[in-house]
């Protein structure tokens, strides 16, 4: 036998129930975004490496060690996108979409990071992202949060906790950085290797450490939120009032700093305790400086991204995926000369009842084997056509999930009967 070729570690095929859950999540999310007036944007998966270095930041986990970077045949350094915001900003700048106009955009697709694969953490994963350009006021920060809350409500997801924080202005962060570095220098002996390095390059990221041994130091550190500029304080207070008005519960987490450098002012995360260490399902914030950093005109912006794999895991754990992809009706065809009327009848049902999924048995087989397939398909009813039925121009309708009797109806009466069973 020829040796099999397997997929790349951390890059998974998604099929069966997981694929149904994936599609369902994306469709509900996109419908929700449209309900709020957001429009779709489709972006390349590959960008120039420089784009990510300039936006995400040279001294972040992503750029330091997680990017899939390669040279193309023309020796240009390219990178598989590790996140969606940088490419979206690049597109908006390139097409001049933020000139004297507001953009409210969403996208979905694969992202790539060379991380250690584990539950909820993969090398190819998928995000649904939303970005807004041209609005500096906290009402839009609140809109993004209420929009995600609306999505959780539509999906039936409970127990997601919202954490918020403010990172203030660039200038306030710079001043705070010195205060933080002085504090960390006093406790240098307790810093881990990563943090020692970050102390020189990006000390704020130390607050985001996942190392439990560093917990005490981080908790004792001076809080950025107590060193904000006056305007950011007002912005944050307004955001909180909006959330209060909307009845959205939140916790202010002063150590929420996010793993990308471009954020300022509001940042937020939705977190579940049900997925172990990989508990953040949605994360975002304001990035007012990024458009200019990518070569555009100074434009305020705010956005978030959610992790599809983590959300679908939650949906599946709680049985929240409706049976959209399964057939409702399985057409059983047994005997000679049943395929021709069978195909026509199946198509007639699909035409008259577009909301009913119809799977027709192809390839023949005995009653027993076809009913086994019908059962496995998840269908609620079998429509049965055998040689005798063809002679009499009738079909039998057999419930597969309840014990009620099967019924025989004429071909002419079939559609009306199915309309009774499956009202719109
Ligand atoms: P984490 O702290 O879990 O590494 P992050 O801060 O790196 O997350 P973001 O870049 O903000 O994550 O991405 C937004 C969301 O995308 C995350 O909250 C998570 O749900 C999802 N996500 C990020 N990295 C991965 C990954 N490697 N595999 C699966 N989902 C991921
Ligand atoms: Mg990460």
């Amino acid at each position: 036998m020829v040796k099999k070729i397997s997929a790349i570690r951390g890059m998974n095929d998604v099929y069966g129930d997981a694929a149904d859950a994936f599609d369902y999540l994306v469709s509900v999310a996109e419908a929700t975004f449209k309900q709020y007036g957001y429009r779709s944007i489709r972006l390349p998966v590959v960008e120039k490496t420089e784009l990510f270095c300039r936006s995400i930041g040279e001294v972040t986990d992503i750029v330091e060690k997680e990017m899939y970077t390669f040279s193309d045949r023309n020796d240009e350094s390219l990178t598989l996108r590790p996140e969606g915001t940088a490419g979206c900003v690049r597109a908006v700048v390139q097409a001049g979409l933020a000139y004297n106009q507001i953009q409210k955009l969403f996208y979905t697709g694969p992202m790539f990071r060379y991380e250690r694969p584990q539950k909820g953490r993969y090398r190819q994963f998928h995000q649904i992202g939303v970005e807004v350009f041209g609005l500096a006021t906290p009402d839009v920060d609140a809109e993004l949060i209420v929009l995600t809350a609306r999505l959780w409500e539509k999906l039936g997801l409970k127990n997601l906790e919202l954490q918020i924080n403010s990172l203030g202005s660039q200038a306030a962060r710079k001043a705070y950085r010195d205060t933080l570095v002085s504090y960390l220098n006093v406790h240098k002996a307790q810093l881990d290797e990563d943090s020692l390095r970050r102390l020189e390059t990006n000390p704020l990221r130390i607050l985001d450490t996942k190392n439990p041994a560093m917990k005490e130091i981080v908790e004792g550190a001076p809080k950025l939120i107590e060193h904000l500029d006056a305007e950011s304080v007002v912005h944050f207070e307004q955001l909180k009032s909006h959330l209060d008005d909307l009845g959205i519960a939140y916790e202010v987490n002063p150590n929420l700093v996010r793993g990308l450098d471009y954020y300022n002012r509001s940042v937020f995360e939705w977190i579940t305790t049900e997925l172990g260490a990989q508990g953040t399902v949605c994360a975002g914030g304001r990035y007012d400086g990024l458009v200019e950093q990518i070569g555009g005109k100074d434009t305020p912006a705010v956005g978030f991204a959610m992790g599809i794999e983590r959300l679908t895991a939650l949906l599946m754990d709680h049985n929240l995926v409706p049976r959209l992809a399964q057939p409702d009706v399985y057409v059983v065809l047994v005997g000679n000369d049943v395929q021709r009327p069978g195909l026509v009848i199946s198509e007639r049902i699909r035409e008259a009842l577009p909301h009913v999924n119809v799977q027709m048995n192809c390839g023949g087989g005995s009653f027993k084997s076809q009913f086994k397939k019908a059962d496995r398909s998840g269908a609620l009813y079998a429509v049965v056509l055998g040689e005798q039925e063809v002679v009499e121009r009738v079909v039998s309708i057999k419930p597969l999930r309840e014990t009620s009797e099967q019924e025989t109806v004429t071909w002419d009466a079939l559609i009306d009967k199915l309309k009774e069973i499956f009202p719109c």
Side-chain angles (χ1 to χ4, degrees):
M1 254 220 287
V2 178
K3 189 168 163 273
K4 288 181 186 151
I5 300 172
S6 58
I8 296 164
R9 195 164 114 83
M11 302 200 180
N12 300 317
D13 305 309
V14 180
Y15 49 85
D17 291 346
D20 290 347
F22 190 119
D23 291 353
Y24 169 67
L25 170 63
V26 171
S27 70
V28 178
E30 293 186 348
T32 305
F33 302 155
K34 286 176 187 166
Q35 196 187 4
Y36 283 75
Y38 289 64
R39 293 189 71 182
S40 170
I41 183 165
R42 295 191 174 271
L43 301 160
V45 171
V46 186
E47 298 274 359
K48 292 180 184 168
T49 303
E50 189 196 351
L51 173 66
F52 302 113
C53 299
R54 237 208 269 173
S55 55
I56 297 169
E58 295 277 5
V59 215
T60 55
D61 279 352
I62 295 179
V63 173
E64 273 181 349
K65 53 187 187 198
E66 295 177 357
M67 294 209 300
Y68 278 90
T69 297
F70 59 96
S71 297
D72 71 1
R73 287 171 200 278
N74 205 19
D75 265 344
E76 182 158 32
S77 180
L78 305 180
T79 294
L80 298 184
R81 63 179 181 192
E83 55 97 57
T85 303
C88 190
V89 171
R90 196 264 315 132
V92 163
V93 169
Q94 189 172 341
L97 298 180
Y99 274 107
N100 303 320
Q101 50 184 323
I102 288 158
Q103 291 290 342
K104 294 185 166 187
L105 305 169
F106 67 83
Y107 54 83
T108 305
M111 308 294 161
F112 304 84
R113 296 184 195 176
Y114 194 80
E115 301 200 68
R116 193 169 67 77
Q118 55 199 289
K119 186 175 190 295
R121 194 175 290 288
Y122 310 100
R123 291 182 174 171
Q124 173 172 335
F125 62 101
H126 298 77
Q127 288 183 335
I128 307 177
V130 170
E131 318 286 354
V132 177
F133 297 92
L135 291 167
T137 43
D139 50 353
V140 66
D141 308 34
E143 180 174 276
L144 288 185
I145 291 173
V146 74
L147 176 157
T148 47
R150 172 69 55 215
L151 177 60
W152 311 146
E153 188 254 335
K154 285 192 194 187
L155 293 168
L157 285 174
K158 301 196 176 81
N159 309 323
L160 291 179
E161 281 169 21
L162 174 65
Q163 295 193 349
I164 60 172
N165 191 22
S166 177
L167 303 181
S169 67
Q170 214 84 22
R173 240 186 359 267
K174 230 181 190 160
Y176 165 75
R177 188 187 146 119
D178 296 339
T179 315
L180 179 66
V181 170
S182 313
Y183 165 84
L184 292 170
N185 267 321
V186 173
H187 298 83
K188 214 166 174 175
Q190 288 151 271
L191 296 182
D192 63 13
E193 198 186 315
D194 248 5
S195 302
L196 280 173
R197 195 164 43 86
R198 295 242 146 86
L199 192 55
E200 311 296 326
T201 54
N202 195 350
L204 260 73
R205 285 299 320 279
I206 296 174
L207 302 176
D208 192 34
T209 176
K210 304 261 163 23
N211 182 355
M214 298 269 303
K215 199 168 174 225
E216 213 175 299
I217 299 213
V218 165
E219 275 172 8
K223 302 285 178 253
L224 172 54
I225 198 146
E226 288 157 14
H227 294 77
L228 296 184
D229 53 298
E231 279 177 22
S232 293
V233 170
V234 173
H235 190 277
F236 196 48
E237 289 308 314
Q238 284 174 344
L239 170 60
K240 288 193 283 185
S241 326
H242 289 319
L243 295 178
D244 292 337
D245 293 345
L246 291 162
I248 295 177
Y250 55 84
E251 189 195 320
V252 176
N253 174 0
N255 291 328
L256 189 67
V257 293
R258 311 283 308 108
L260 302 88
D261 276 356
Y262 49 61
Y263 288 109
N264 69 308
R265 290 206 174 148
S266 323
V267 288
F268 66 92
E269 288 194 2
W270 287 95
I271 298 169
T272 171
T273 49
E274 294 174 21
L275 295 174
Q278 271 57 253
T280 302
V281 295
C282 175
R286 204 160 251 295
Y287 52 93
D288 295 328
L290 185 59
V291 175
E292 206 174 15
Q293 225 171 293
I294 299 300
K297 207 178 76 180
D298 183 19
T299 306
V302 55
F304 67 76
M306 43 197 168
I308 293 186
E309 284 77 6
R310 294 182 194 179
L311 283 166
T312 51
L314 276 184
L315 290 174
M316 285 171 31
D317 288 351
H318 291 276
N319 249 324
L320 290 169
V321 184
R323 43 184 311 288
L324 292 174
Q326 284 169 305
D328 302 300
V329 169
Y330 192 99
V331 181
V332 170
L333 303 174
V334 182
N336 295 321
D337 302 325
V338 295
Q339 271 72 25
R340 289 176 61 188
L343 266 164
V344 174
I345 287 171
S346 299
E347 209 47 36
R348 218 188 271 163
I349 303 172
R350 294 184 185 114
E351 188 176 24
L353 297 157
H355 63 291
V356 175
N357 292 347
V358 181
Q359 184 169 338
M360 192 193 78
N361 191 85
C362 292
S366 66
F367 269 114
K368 197 170 162 211
S369 77
Q370 291 197 31
F371 269 106
K372 219 183 222 170
K373 283 189 206 156
D375 193 48
R376 239 186 285 139
S377 77
L380 303 173
Y381 287 84
V383 165
V384 186
L385 193 64
E387 287 172 7
Q388 191 57 34
E389 280 88 355
V390 172
V391 173
E392 293 172 20
R393 299 178 75 77
V394 296
V395 295
S396 303
I397 302 175
K398 189 173 157 50
L400 296 171
R401 311 287 149 195
E402 40 179 290
T403 45
S404 54
E405 284 299 294
Q406 85 172 41
E407 266 186 73
T408 301
V409 296
T410 63
W411 290 356
D412 288 340
L414 173 63
I415 296 298
D416 283 341
K417 184 70 212 170
L418 287 175
K419 276 185 183 161
E420 268 173 42
I421 296 176
F422 298 104
C424 279

